[in-house]
Amino acid sequence: MSHVAPPPGTAVEIHRAQPHCVHRVIERGVIIHPAMTWLIAYFPGDHTRPADPGDPASIRILRTADVTEYCALADCDPAWVAWTWAHLAQAGPGLLQAPEAVHVWELAATLALHRLAPPASTPITGP
């Protein structure tokens, strides 16, 4: 039976063992190119150590069997989605060479910013 990776713009989580430690590190990335049993994902890092999309180390080829979780980007933590998009937009999203994933990410970030924004005002009620 073959596995098919979700479309570009889907968030992935992998668990990576740390050397000389029993703990595992959870890393979150975004699929930029899927295939039947493998995918290419961009791992943006976090706010303390952002990864440059132009750095080949931030782009990884994974077997779909190594992915522990898939999630629609719009369903991820809004703060993470907005931060990673802001970082990617500054660095230049074209570096990923994945226009479909970039488009999905931009839409998810716009939604995330709306979810994070405080209500503009109280509802207007009529007489």
Side-chain angles (χ1 to χ4, degrees), residues 16-108:
R16 187 173 49 87
Q18 289 183 317
H20 313 293
C21 187
V22 296
H23 299 288
R24 293 177 162 249
V25 174
I26 297 173
E27 291 185 283
R28 184 176 294 141
V30 176
I31 296 172
I32 55 178
H33 299 290
M36 288 288 288
T37 58
W38 56 273
L39 55 91
I40 300 173
Y42 167 58
F43 287 82
D46 61 33
H47 64 282
T48 60
R49 295 185 62 198
D52 180 358
D55 180 358
S58 67
I59 308 294
R60 300 189 202 153
I61 298 172
L62 304 171
R63 295 178 317 148
T64 54
D66 293 338
V67 175
T68 55
E69 186 175 335
Y70 293 99
C71 183
L73 205 49
D75 294 334
C76 290
D77 173 28
W80 181 79
V81 174
W83 175 83
T84 56
W85 174 253
H87 172 68
L88 184 58
Q90 278 185 334
L95 289 172
L96 291 181
Q97 299 180 20
E100 188 178 346
V102 167
H103 180 68
V104 169
W105 210 330
E106 184 177 24
L107 291 174

